[in-house]
Amino acid sequence: DVKVTQSSRYLVKRTGEKVFLECVQDMDHENMFWYRQDPGLGLRLIYFSYDVKMKEKGDIPEGYSVSREKKERFSLILESASTNQTSMYLCASSLLGGAREKLFFGSGTQLSVL
Amino acid sequence: AQTVTQSQPEMSVQEAETVTLSCTYDTSESDYYLFWYKQPPSRQMILVIRQEAYKQQNATENRFSVNFQKAAKSFSLKISDSQLGDAAMYFCAYLPRDTGNQFYFGTGTSLTVIP
């Protein structure tokens, strides 16, 4: 069974802390994505990666960075967490090319920044 | 720019009845995919149904069907014989077929099923 695993289901951090959200997929997918989900705003793309060490900005990259050192792992980094980054974060992955329409999601990390 | 609009933040339906969720989108592409995803309280996103724009026939998956109107850029989801397990947030999404890897999501519709 295919799997996208996010390391934490709930996370509470303090303002100014450096925060790492980890995502691992076991499907050998090239594409990996980080979305932010807020009520009334839907899913907004923060960053995505189509290969190791490659990254592309999404619609809301400000305040975030990413790291993809291995194909299966895609990390989202909040360099200095702020209260407006309190949100649900969803990781997803897909293949490249013709099969990329199959998007697989993790079960999300609810981050609270106090 | 591609945008996906869901104009119904909340909907409710009586158990066993039928409900339709609306979605419109804006694109200059001629070929693309459209999707409906379901997010139950577990937060795990589940693909409900997929439509390929070049196919005129509306997609159907058991109790779920779509009304795809390409000219109107409309893609509604019909849920027949609604069940309590259908209660969830539903997201409409768009992906261009040949360019890019980014999915574009709507803002979601929260569906309540009344017993």
Side-chain angles (χ1 to χ4, degrees), chain A residues 19-60:
Chain A
V19 181
F20 292 85
L21 302 184
E22 306 286 347
C23 176
V24 177
Q25 50 95 1
D26 64 0
M27 297 164 283
D28 204 33
H29 284 173
E30 291 87 1
N31 292 331
M32 294 189 76
F33 306 84
W34 275 107
Y35 287 92
R36 173 176 168 157
Q37 181 180 355
D38 298 288
L41 296 177
L43 276 70
R44 295 178 292 166
L45 183 65
I46 305 171
Y47 270 96
F48 72 95
S49 168
Y50 53 89
D51 200 354
V52 174
K53 297 193 187 296
M54 305 304 289
K55 62 184 179 184
E56 294 280 345
K57 292 181 180 179
D59 298 317
I60 52 164

Side-chain angles (χ1 to χ4, degrees), chain B residues 56-70:
Chain B
Q56 293 187 343
Q57 187 171 9
N58 289 326
T60 299
E61 287 287 342
N62 301 314
R63 297 183 295 106
F64 298 87
S65 61
V66 298
N67 183 5
F68 173 47
Q69 303 286 330
K70 191 173 184 180

